[in-house]
Amino acid sequence: MGRLTGKIAIVTGGGGLGIGHGISLELARDGAHVVVVELDVPAAEKICARIQAEGGKASFLQGDVSRAESIRAMIGKVIEEHGRLDVLVNNAGIGLIRPPADASEEEFDRLMSVDLRGVWLCCKCAIPQMQRQNSGSIINIASVHSRATMRNYGLYAAMKAGVAGLTRGIAAHYGKDGIRANTVSPGLVDSPQNHEIIAQFAPSVEGWMRNFVEQAQALPWLIQPQDVGRTVAFLASDDARSITGAEIPVDAGTWIRLPGEN
Ligand SMILES: NC(=O)c1ccc[n+]([C@@H]2O[C@H](COP(=O)([O-])OP(=O)(O)OC[C@H]3O[C@@H](n4cnc5c(N)ncnc54)[C@H](O)[C@@H]3O)[C@@H](O)[C@H]2O)c1
């Protein structure tokens, strides 16, 4: 018996090759039935097949977190099929690497529609069912950019800071209904999509990552998607029954490291 046996968990963007994969796999390994909500159907099929091959429970729904009607339909379907919703992981997200003054209004609106408005809408649709159950765990994936950022990431940082604030607000308001809400903020994760991004500007992806680990982290290893997944599974479980409103960095010590040789 896993810690999440009998629980129904939605993971938005759960087909993503990096963190989405890590979260979906680890929730299923802990016993949850994972419902992957994805824009990308082949990606969703792939992670469900992997979970089922390991003996876990998974299904998927095609959904777009930037569209309210899509979210309402998706959450309604999960409740209709399973009769409950125990865990909501808002992982789906997009990035924007652009100086704040150079971004267009369209780029801002697109980023906000997925990274912040989408998180809020999924919470808004899931909370009434969690209130009926008098229980539920919401885990929102932000980023280390919620508190410290770098050039070109100002708008992404704004969205992720918004996610952390929203999560605290949900925790404060709905704790009385047995609902917990926490933020998980990953640092640089060793994922195929990050490799692709780094390959666009660095001659050696491995060399760039090794240098990042040495200069920016306290721990000397790359963060794996499963590291994020295991933290999410803990927060989803009753082992974290008295933890709410927290923002937990899975960043190998990026936030606490100042640059310097000593
Ligand atoms: N990769 C990192 O190093 C890193 C670090 C910190 C935070 N994050 C955050 O972690 C989350 C996952 O990031 P990732 O890098 O693994 O991303 P990813 O692009 O690999 O996966 C995201 C998934 O979300 C899906 N998706 C995108 N828009 C969607 C929408 N509108 N509706 C439904 N699904 C949608 C995509 O199809 C994709 O499968 C994001 O919120 C991201 O901001 C990532």
Side-chain angles (χ1 to χ4, degrees), residues 11-27 34 36 38 47 50-51 89-93 139-144 156 160 184-194 223-233 248 250-251:
V11 183
T12 70
L17 286 177
I19 295 174
H21 243 67
I23 294 171
S24 300
L25 268 180
E26 293 302 324
L27 289 177
V34 175
V36 172
E38 259 295 347
I47 184 65
R50 180 153 176 212
I51 289 171
V89 185
N90 284 303
N91 165 71
I139 298 128
N140 293 330
I141 308 302
S143 160
V144 283
Y156 179 72
K160 294 303 190 179
V184 170
S185 285
L188 178 77
V189 173
D190 186 17
S191 62
Q193 64 278 24
N194 274 339
I223 303 160
Q224 298 302 316
Q226 277 81 1
D227 300 338
V228 182
R230 288 190 193 115
T231 306
V232 169
I248 301 197
V250 182
D251 70 342

Side-chain angles (χ1 to χ4, degrees), residues 62-104:
Q62 186 170 21
D64 180 348
V65 301
S66 70
R67 291 177 42 236
E69 67 277 19
S70 175
I71 297 172
R72 269 195 289 273
M74 170 273 281
I75 297 210
K77 198 142 195 264
V78 170
I79 294 165
E80 192 186 306
E81 271 179 25
H82 300 279
R84 55 186 302 109
L85 172 57
D86 302 289
V87 180
L88 169 66
V89 185
N90 284 303
N91 165 71
I94 56 176
L96 181 66
I97 305 173
R98 186 93 70 248
D102 293 0
S104 68

Side-chain angles (χ1 to χ4, degrees), residues 4-246:
L4 302 174
T5 301
K7 306 260 191 212
I8 305 299
I10 289 177
V11 183
T12 70
L17 286 177
I19 295 174
H21 243 67
I23 294 171
S24 300
L25 268 180
E26 293 302 324
L27 289 177
R29 284 174 181 164
D30 242 327
H33 179 124
V34 175
V35 182
V36 172
V37 171
E38 259 295 347
L39 273 180
D40 182 344
V41 170
E45 286 173 337
K46 217 180 209 172
I47 184 65
C48 288
R50 180 153 176 212
I51 289 171
Q52 286 156 2
E54 289 189 1
K57 292 190 178 127
S59 51
F60 73 88
L61 292 171
Q62 186 170 21
D64 180 348
V65 301
S66 70
R67 291 177 42 236
E69 67 277 19
S70 175
I71 297 172
R72 269 195 289 273
M74 170 273 281
I75 297 210
K77 198 142 195 264
V78 170
I79 294 165
E80 192 186 306
E81 271 179 25
H82 300 279
R84 55 186 302 109
L85 172 57
D86 302 289
V87 180
L88 169 66
V89 185
N90 284 303
N91 165 71
I94 56 176
L96 181 66
I97 305 173
R98 186 93 70 248
D102 293 0
S104 68
E105 288 168 62
E106 290 71 27
E107 285 172 327
F108 181 96
D109 290 346
R110 171 83 192 122
L111 186 68
M112 190 161 78
S113 74
V114 179
D115 284 14
L116 183 54
R117 189 171 175 273
V119 173
W120 164 64
L121 280 171
C122 287
C123 293
K124 178 176 160 65
C125 292
I127 284 170
Q129 175 61 26
M130 291 180 170
Q131 284 178 304
R132 281 192 285 277
Q133 295 167 191
N134 207 30
S135 70
S137 176
I138 296 171
I139 298 128
N140 293 330
I141 308 302
S143 160
V144 283
H145 284 272
S146 72
R147 283 203 211 166
T149 194
M150 49 180 66
R151 289 187 182 128
N152 295 315
Y153 281 87
L155 297 183
Y156 179 72
M159 302 305 152
K160 294 303 190 179
V163 167
L166 169 70
T167 310
R168 283 190 289 273
I170 289 171
H173 195 94
Y174 298 102
K176 63 181 177 357
D177 300 320
I179 299 171
R180 296 185 295 109
N182 291 288
T183 303
V184 170
S185 285
L188 178 77
V189 173
D190 186 17
S191 62
Q193 64 278 24
N194 274 339
H195 283 242
E196 271 175 37
I197 293 167
I198 294 162
Q200 289 167 21
F201 59 80
S204 155
V205 173
E206 272 190 14
W208 189 92
M209 283 202 151
R210 205 177 322 111
N211 188 51
F212 181 89
V213 165
E214 277 170 21
Q215 300 296 319
Q217 294 184 185
L219 294 171
W221 53 76
L222 285 167
I223 303 160
Q224 298 302 316
Q226 277 81 1
D227 300 338
V228 182
R230 288 190 193 115
T231 306
V232 169
F234 162 69
L235 288 170
S237 78
D238 287 344
D239 286 349
R241 65 187 288 274
S242 298
I243 301 177
T244 197

